[in-house]
């Protein structure tokens, strides 16, 4: 079955990525890797090789968050412009200075919330920053500011993606505002994630007596638990961030000369993962999300939907578990 699924995707992927712009190759390879990993996971579950993992996407995102936040704080490797931009937007209030505080209080309501929350907590805990904290505001003010900042940017990014995907259709643009539950969940996730990460960093700066280099990783790990708020299906998003985290570790190991860079690594990765995805779409389409099927159809200039499905199904009947 690999002859009409995997190998055409492998050859086509290597050939197509070779003529792509250099700046876009790694981004496309990472995106395709996240698709291929989900296809492999669904294949393994379908064949009974592994059991379904409950809340696996939350654990995967937490692990990815720990790695990304750690490298963001201690090893400023340029992962990609997009990922670096996201981390700065969601965690940017950490170094906010007191003279810049007014700029981040976007409305009077926001100022009211921050000031009254601090007044409420002042008698409950000592919220002044520690010597390890790099921000100049109090820890409570920094946590609240970062959370609101993350929530606002989460809403802006989400609406921007939806508007771009609507392709200028007025009807689809109006439908964006009807999905209020999804909008609230994503905004709540981004706000809570930002607050948890910087909050745990402030907490650990105060009470964690061991190596301070571990603090960003622990904060990122615990902050990633907020991914439970992300609307389902959340697996593709968790896999994408996991691939970014692995990419970050890979570049760091090359930088430290732990391993050597694999020649044509991006082209090989894109070819392999596209081959896996095409194989899944051709031979096992029941294991693919509808959005992935649409992506394959677009990628092949609508040739995917012209496949003679009865012939393929006749071949796949000889494969174990497909004839049940």
């Amino acid at each position: 079955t690999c002859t009409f699924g995997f190998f055409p995707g492998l050859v086509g992927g290597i050939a197509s990525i070779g003529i792509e712009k250099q700046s876009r190759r790694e981004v496309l390879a990472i995106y395709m890797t996240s698709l291929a990993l989900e296809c492999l996971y669904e294949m393994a579950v379908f064949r009974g090789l592994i059991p379904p993992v409950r809340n696996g996407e939350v654990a995967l995102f937490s692990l990815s968050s720990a790695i990304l936040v750690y490298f963001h704080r201690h090893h400023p490797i340029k992962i990609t412009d997009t990922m670096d931009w996201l981390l700065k937007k969601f965690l940017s209030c950490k170094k906010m200075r007191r003279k810049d505080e007014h700029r981040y209080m976007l409305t009077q309501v926001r100022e009211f919330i921050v000031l009254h929350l601090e007044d409420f907590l002042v008698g409950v805990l000592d919220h002044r920053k520690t010597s390890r904290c790099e921000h100049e505001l109090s820890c409570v003010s920094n946590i609240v500011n970062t959370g609101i900042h993350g929530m606002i940017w989460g809403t802006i990014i989400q609406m921007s993606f939806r508007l771009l995907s609507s392709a200028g259709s007025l009807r689809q643009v109006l439908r964006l505002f009807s999905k209020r539950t999804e909008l609230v969940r994503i905004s709540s996730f981004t706000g809570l994630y930002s607050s948890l990460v910087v909050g745990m960093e402030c907490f650990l700066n105060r009470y964690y007596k061991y190596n301070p280099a571990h603090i960003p990783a622990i904060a990122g790990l615990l902050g990633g638990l907020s991914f439970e708020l992300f609307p389902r299906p959340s697996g593709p998003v968790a896999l994408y961030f996991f691939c970014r985290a692995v990419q970050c570790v890979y570049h760091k190991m090359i930088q430290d000369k732990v391993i050597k860079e694999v020649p044509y690594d991006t082209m090989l990765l894109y070819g392999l993962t596209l081959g896996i995805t095409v194989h899944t779409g051709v031979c096992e389409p029941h294991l693919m999300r509808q959005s992935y099927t649409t992506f394959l159809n677009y990628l092949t200039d609508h040739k995917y939907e012209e496949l003679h499905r009865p012939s393929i199904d006749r071949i796949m009947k000889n494969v174990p578990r497909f004839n049940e």
Side-chain angles (χ1 to χ4, degrees):
T1 59
C2 289
T3 54
F4 57 88
F6 176 76
F7 286 121
L10 172 65
V11 176
I14 294 176
S16 61
I17 199 70
I19 61 176
E20 186 59 72
K21 291 182 179 179
Q22 186 71 31
S23 59
R24 288 168 49 90
R25 291 181 183 179
E26 201 165 29
V27 177
L28 292 172
I30 292 298
Y31 173 73
M32 190 57 63
T33 302
S34 64
L35 268 62
L37 286 176
E38 184 174 4
C39 292
L40 289 174
Y41 171 76
E42 294 295 340
M43 289 181 190
V45 172
F46 180 76
R47 288 165 171 77
L49 300 177
I50 60 173
V53 181
R54 185 179 180 183
N55 294 325
E57 63 275 4
V58 178
L60 190 63
F61 183 83
S62 295
L63 176 62
S64 307
S65 173
I67 297 172
L68 290 172
V69 174
Y70 173 79
F71 277 97
H72 179 65
R73 297 299 196 204
H74 292 301
H75 302 283
I77 300 176
K78 188 177 182 181
I79 310 171
T80 61
D81 292 337
T82 304
M83 186 58 61
D84 186 59
W85 182 82
L86 282 175
L87 290 172
K88 286 180 179 178
K89 287 301 178 185
F90 290 126
L91 306 176
S92 62
C93 288
K94 182 173 183 292
K95 296 182 179 180
M96 185 175 62
R97 304 191 176 195
R98 184 166 298 276
K99 65 180 181 180
D100 298 326
E101 182 175 7
H102 179 70
R103 189 193 315 171
Y104 287 90
M105 300 292 188
L106 299 179
T107 62
Q108 292 298 322
V109 175
R110 184 175 172 185
E111 289 184 355
F112 178 85
I113 293 174
V114 173
L115 294 175
H116 282 71
L117 183 60
E118 284 196 10
D119 291 340
F120 174 76
L121 293 176
V122 67
V124 181
L125 63 123
D126 181 13
H127 63 281
R128 293 171 297 177
K129 78 182 189 73
T130 65
S131 58
R132 287 182 176 181
C133 293
E134 298 181 21
H135 54 84
E136 293 191 9
L137 299 176
S138 65
C139 290
V140 172
S141 181
N142 181 58
I143 293 168
V144 174
N145 269 287
T146 307
I148 298 176
H149 193 259
M151 182 178 294
I152 292 173
W153 273 105
T155 305
I156 293 174
I157 293 172
Q158 179 189 187
M159 295 302 296
S160 299
F161 273 116
R162 292 303 179 88
L163 289 172
L164 289 174
S165 62
S166 66
S169 173
L170 180 60
R171 180 179 298 180
Q172 293 186 24
V173 170
L174 294 176
R175 287 179 59 187
L176 299 179
F177 298 95
S178 65
K179 299 180 179 180
R180 279 173 276 185
T181 303
E182 182 177 342
L183 177 65
V184 170
R185 288 184 65 120
I186 294 180
S187 301
S188 300
F189 155 68
T190 55
L192 181 60
Y193 173 77
S194 300
S195 295
L196 279 177
V197 171
V198 297
M200 288 307 304
E201 284 182 324
C202 290
F203 177 83
L204 293 172
N205 281 333
R206 186 181 300 272
Y207 297 108
Y208 189 73
K209 305 302 181 183
Y210 302 99
N211 189 350
H214 301 159
I215 290 177
I218 299 173
L221 182 68
L222 297 176
L225 298 177
S226 61
F227 196 66
E228 181 66 29
L229 292 176
F230 200 88
R232 299 299 188 267
S234 56
V237 178
L239 281 169
Y240 180 79
F241 277 89
F242 175 73
C243 292
R244 288 296 188 194
V246 173
Q247 178 193 18
C248 187
V249 174
Y250 172 69
H251 285 313
K252 178 60 177 175
M253 293 176 71
I254 293 175
Q255 187 181 82
D256 293 344
K257 298 183 179 180
V258 177
I259 60 174
K260 294 183 179 180
E261 185 175 5
V262 179
Y264 306 105
D265 50 359
T266 303
M267 297 178 66
L268 292 174
L269 179 64
Y270 185 81
L272 288 171
T273 53
L274 183 60
I276 294 170
T277 307
V278 171
H279 167 82
T280 308
V282 172
C283 303
E284 307 176 55
H286 54 285
L287 300 180
M288 289 192 72
R289 298 182 187 273
Q290 181 61 41
S291 58
Y292 296 174
T293 303
T294 304
F295 170 74
L296 274 182
N297 195 40
Y298 172 79
L299 190 67
T300 58
D301 194 22
H302 301 282
K303 297 296 189 297
Y304 173 76
E305 62 185 4
E306 297 177 4
L307 290 173
H308 192 254
R309 186 59 58 186
S311 300
I312 298 175
D313 293 340
R314 193 177 306 114
I315 297 173
M316 294 306 296
K317 286 182 180 180
N318 298 323
V319 180
R321 294 189 62 87
F322 284 87
N323 200 23
E324 297 179 359

